[in-house]
Amino acid sequence: MRLIVVNKLGKVTISNINHKLGDISTIFYFCRMNNWKRIPILLLSMLNTNWNRSSKFSFFIVRLLSVFLFLISSESSYSQNPVWLISTNPSTLTNLKIKVQAEGIKIRCESEWLHSISIDLPSKFDINRFCLENNCTAQPVLNLKSSSLSMINSTHLDVAIEQMNGEAFIKEGLSGLGVKVGVTDAGYMYLNDSNRMPDLSHLWIGKQIIGTHDFVNNLDTIAYHETYYTRRKADYKARKNWLRQLRKELKLIYHSHGTEVLKMITGIDSGGNYQIGLAPNAAYYLTRTEDGVKEFREEEDYYIAALEWMHQNGVRVINTSLGYGRGRKIKGSNYSPMEMNGESMIAKAVQIACTEKNMLVVVAAGNDGDKRKWRVISTPADAEAALTVGSVLGRFQKIGYSGIGPEFNSYLKPDVCSYSYQGTSLSAPAVCGFAACLLEANPSLSANELKQLIVRSSHLYPYGNNFIGYGVPLANRALQLLEYPDMKFYNTKEIHLKERSFKLDTIDVSIPTLTIFHKKNDVHVLKQEVIVRDKKSNSFIICPPKEAKRTTVQVGYFIYELFWE
C-alpha cells in the first residue's frame, strides 16, 4: 500500500508502507504540525492498485479532496483552545506567566497594555480552578474572520484626494514628512517591484520603509515575492493549466492587499504627474498580522502585538484596513453584531493606543453593511477613540457595503468617510494620509486633538449620522482650524418645518441628484435616499417617512438640516 500525504497547499508526497488497512479504502484524520496547527492528511489504501504518479486525473482528485479537508479542518474544534488570561492585578502578571509555564503550557502572546497573556488551553485543563487560584480571568481568543479584505483594482483611486480637497495640503507643501506611519495588513506582495508598483518606488529610493515585522511567521522582515506567501517555488504563471492559475491569482490578490492600502496613503507616480496618497514623504512601519486567505485564531494576538511593537518604534498614526466581525462556525468563538461595542480584546487595545499611547488608529468600518444579518461596523472599528472610516461615492452617498454604526452604542460610528468603490479598506488609508499631513503641520497634536480636528473639518459637521459619520474631511478647513481652533464654518442651515414636505430650489443646475438622510433622531438614519430634480418645477421635492424627525440634505458641500415638527 502507498501513503499519499497532501498538505494544505496541495503538495503531494508518496511513500511506501507495509502496514495493511484491510478492506478500508479511505481513512481521514488530522495530525498536529507546527505547534497546534493542523493540516489534512489523506490516507488512501491502494491495495491491488498501481499508482501512477504521472496520472494527472488521480492527482487532481487527491488535491481536490485535500482542499475539501482543509476547509473542514478550519471549521473544526481544536483540542487546545486559545484563551486570554487577564490578570486582575497588573503587578502580578509576571507571577501569572510563571504559574502558566509551570503547568507546561506555552505562552503564545503577551500584552503589557491589557495585562494579559494568551495560551493554548489543553482540553483537560481546569481553567476555572487555575483562574481562582491565580487571580485572573479567562476570555476566548476568537476565531476571526476579516470583513474588510476585498479584491482591489487600483484604478481611479486619486478621486479620494480630490473629494477631500487634498490640493490644499499639496499647495502648503505638506506630505507627511517626519511623521511615522504604521500599517497592519495581510501582505505586501510586489511592493519592491517597480514595474508592478511604480507608484511606490519612491519608498525604496528615499529609504522610507524604516521597520517591518511579520507576526504571522514571527520574522523581523517582510518579503514581497509570491513564493513567500504561497510557499511554492515554481513560477505559477509559467504553468499552462488555466484553472490552477485562476485559483492562484484569487489567492494572491489578498496577499497584495497591504500594498494597495499603502498606495492609498503614500502613492505617487515617479514623474510627479498625479498623486494617489497624501503622505508620500512619511516614514513607514509595516506589519503583517493576517494570513490573508485563511483566518486563524492567532490573528487577534498578532494585531495586539503589532500595536505594541509600533508604539515602541514611535509610530503616531496607524492604518488598519482589517476588520473582524462574522466569525467561523465554531461554537463559542464567533462575534455577534451586539458585540460591536468596543469590548473585544482588539478594540480595547486600540482604545489604549489612542487614549494612553498617543497614537491615532485609523480603522476601516468594514464591508458588511449590506449583509442583512450583520450590517454594522466590525471590530476594532467599534473602539470609541479610533477614527473609524466608512465609504461614500462622489456625491457623498454611502455605498451599500460600508458598515453602519450600531444604535446601541453611546458614541457615533463611523466618525468620517472617504471615497472608495472597492471597500472601506481603501477609504481608511486615504484618511490616514490626511492625518499624517496634519501631524506634519503640527507635531504637538495629541491623538485625540488630531481626531477631533479631522472630524470638525468634515463636510457634514455638526450633523453626523451612523451611515457616513461627519462626512468627508476637507483639507482646506483642517488647515484653517489648525490656525484658528475656534473657527466656525457657515456651510449649514437649519430649517424647521410644520408640513411634511419641502421644496428645495438650487441655483446650480449641474447637480442632477441629491443624497439625503432621513433620521429618527439626531444621528440614527432611517433611510438614505437619492432624489432627482423635479422636471416641472426644476426643484428638489423632499418628503420624509412618517417616523423621520430630521432630514440631512447635502447640496455639494452645503448642508441643510430639516426638522419635521
Side-chain angles (χ1 to χ4, degrees):
M1 191 187 75
R2 297 195 181 195
L3 172 67
I4 299 95
V5 182
V6 189
N7 69 10
K8 65 182 179 181
L9 295 176
K11 182 179 179 181
V12 179
T13 57
I14 302 175
S15 59
N16 293 315
I17 59 175
N18 296 320
H19 181 70
K20 291 185 178 181
L21 296 177
D23 294 330
I24 301 175
S25 60
T26 308
I27 296 177
F28 298 101
Y29 69 93
F30 298 100
C31 74
R32 184 174 300 127
M33 295 186 66
N34 300 324
N35 296 327
W36 64 273
K37 295 181 182 178
R38 299 177 175 198
I39 62 174
I41 302 295
L42 174 61
L43 288 180
L44 292 180
S45 176
M46 309 303 291
L47 296 175
N48 302 319
T49 302
N50 292 323
W51 177 270
N52 184 357
R53 189 167 181 173
S54 64
S55 173
K56 294 183 178 180
F57 177 74
S58 300
F59 261 75
F60 172 77
I61 295 299
V62 170
R63 291 198 179 196
L64 187 63
L65 287 172
S66 72
V67 172
F68 172 71
L69 285 174
F70 181 60
L71 292 175
I72 293 177
S73 70
S74 67
E75 303 292 343
S76 303
S77 298
Y78 296 91
S79 60
Q80 290 188 325
N81 298 312
V83 297
W84 287 102
L85 293 180
I86 307 168
S87 176
T88 54
N89 186 347
S91 63
T92 63
L93 182 59
T94 302
N95 292 333
L96 179 61
K97 291 162 58 179
I98 294 173
K99 293 291 181 65
V100 167
Q101 291 169 339
E103 295 284 348
I105 301 173
K106 183 180 179 180
I107 297 174
R108 304 189 329 161
C109 179
E110 176 184 350
S111 173
E112 294 182 2
W113 295 0
L114 300 171
H115 314 302
S116 61
I117 56 177
S118 65
I119 64 171
D120 281 322
L121 186 65
S123 57
K124 296 182 180 180
F125 188 76
D126 189 348
I127 187 63
N128 293 325
R129 175 192 59 79
F130 182 85
C131 289
L132 186 63
E133 294 176 353
N134 294 281
N135 297 320
C136 64
T137 58
Q139 180 174 326
V141 177
L142 296 185
N143 188 33
L144 303 179
K145 181 178 181 183
S146 169
S147 62
S148 287
L149 280 178
S150 58
M151 297 181 184
I152 294 172
N153 183 338
S154 56
T155 56
H156 308 298
L157 299 180
D158 52 352
V159 176
I161 289 183
E162 296 177 3
Q163 192 182 56
M164 294 188 295
N165 289 341
E167 189 178 356
F169 285 154
I170 297 172
K171 287 182 177 179
E172 291 295 321
L174 297 174
S175 59
L177 184 64
V179 179
K180 294 183 177 181
V181 177
V183 180
T184 61
D185 220 283
Y188 303 88
M189 197 168 65
Y190 307 135
L191 176 57
N192 64 339
D193 190 334
S194 60
N195 292 322
R196 290 177 181 264
M197 298 293 171
D199 304 320
L200 295 174
S201 59
H202 64 283
L203 295 179
W204 301 103
I205 297 172
K207 299 180 179 180
Q208 293 170 238
I209 299 178
I210 309 301
T212 61
H213 193 92
D214 184 342
F215 288 90
V216 176
N217 295 309
N218 194 24
L219 298 173
D220 289 330
T221 58
I222 295 177
Y224 312 104
H225 50 84
E226 60 185 63
T227 56
Y228 175 76
Y229 295 103
T230 64
R231 296 174 178 84
R232 293 184 181 182
K233 295 181 180 180
D235 182 7
Y236 182 79
K237 292 185 177 179
R239 301 181 185 180
K240 297 180 180 179
N241 190 314
W242 68 270
L243 186 60
R244 291 180 181 176
Q245 182 173 344
L246 176 61
R247 176 188 171 202
K248 181 70 176 302
E249 291 297 330
L250 289 176
K251 286 187 176 182
L252 289 181
I253 198 164
Y254 292 103
H255 293 309
S256 61
H257 186 271
T259 309
E260 297 294 345
V261 165
L262 188 60
K263 187 188 296 186
M264 280 303 299
I265 306 174
T266 184
I268 187 170
D269 80 316
S270 57
N273 297 318
Y274 67 91
Q275 189 167 333
I276 298 172
L278 283 170
N281 289 324
Y284 289 93
Y285 291 78
L286 310 181
T287 62
R288 184 183 182 215
T289 62
E290 175 149 335
D291 179 79
V293 177
K294 296 299 294 182
E295 308 297 338
F296 297 109
R297 294 187 178 195
E298 297 103 314
E299 287 176 355
E300 187 173 84
D301 298 352
Y302 299 156
Y303 182 79
I304 294 172
L307 290 181
E308 298 189 17
W309 178 84
M310 284 189 278
H311 175 252
Q312 293 169 1
N313 284 282
V315 171
R316 289 296 314 277
V317 183
I318 299 173
N319 185 83
T320 297
S321 288
L322 303 172
Y324 304 103
R326 296 175 296 135
R328 302 286 188 187
K329 296 179 181 179
I330 297 179
K331 186 177 180 180
S333 66
N334 54 328
Y335 285 113
S336 69
M338 293 300 294
E339 291 179 291
M340 300 299 101
N341 56 5
E343 293 299 318
S344 71
M345 292 294 283
I346 52 178
K348 289 178 180 179
V350 167
Q351 188 72 11
I352 291 173
C354 296
T355 59
E356 300 179 19
K357 307 301 179 181
N358 202 30
M359 299 192 297
L360 179 62
V361 184
V362 183
V363 188
N367 297 333
D368 291 325
D370 54 359
K371 303 295 190 301
R372 184 175 57 85
K373 293 183 178 181
W374 190 269
R375 298 203 72 206
V376 297
I377 59 175
S378 52
T379 193
D382 57 334
E384 182 176 4
L387 183 65
T388 304
V389 185
S391 293
V392 292
L393 292 173
R395 295 195 183 277
F396 312 115
Q397 176 186 356
K398 185 189 88 72
I399 302 180
Y401 59 72
S402 186
I404 297 169
E407 295 187 13
F408 49 77
N409 287 338
S410 61
Y411 48 89
L412 179 63
K413 290 291 175 180
D415 297 287
V416 295
C417 59
S418 174
Y419 175 85
S420 172
Y421 63 89
Q422 294 176 311
T424 57
S425 288
L426 296 187
S427 294
V431 177
C432 180
F434 190 101
C437 289
L438 290 176
L439 265 185
E440 179 189 359
N442 186 353
S444 65
L445 289 172
S446 69
N448 182 62
E449 289 172 336
L450 178 58
K451 175 185 175 179
Q452 295 306 317
L453 179 62
I454 294 171
V455 167
R456 290 181 59 205
S457 73
S458 300
H459 85 284
L460 274 188
Y461 188 84
Y463 303 114
N465 62 61
N466 66 329
F467 268 40
I468 65 171
Y470 288 98
V472 175
L474 302 175
N476 56 325
R477 291 190 189 180
L479 291 174
Q480 290 175 302
L481 288 170
L482 271 178
E483 189 171 359
Y484 306 103
D486 297 327
M487 186 173 186
K488 294 183 179 180
F489 301 102
Y490 298 95
N491 69 307
T492 62
K493 182 178 181 180
E494 293 185 358
I495 300 177
H496 295 261
L497 301 163
K498 293 183 179 180
E499 297 182 357
R500 299 293 291 183
S501 66
F502 178 67
K503 185 172 75 171
L504 178 63
D505 297 313
T506 60
I507 300 176
D508 191 353
V509 294
S510 65
I511 302 177
T513 63
L514 297 179
T515 301
I516 64 178
F517 299 98
H518 300 296
K519 302 182 291 185
K520 56 183 169 183
N521 51 37
D522 56 340
V523 295
H524 296 141
V525 176
L526 283 167
K527 179 183 178 183
Q528 174 182 260
E529 185 179 5
V530 178
I531 59 175
V532 297
R533 190 184 296 271
D534 181 68
K535 294 182 179 180
K536 293 182 178 180
S537 63
N538 203 31
S539 303
F540 292 98
I541 309 299
I542 301 169
C543 299
K546 291 182 179 180
E547 303 85 355
K549 302 295 182 183
R550 296 166 67 164
T551 297
T552 302
V553 182
Q554 305 174 108
V555 184
Y557 292 105
F558 196 91
I559 307 301
Y560 292 91
E561 188 72 2
L562 308 181
F563 293 77
W564 307 104
E565 298 179 349

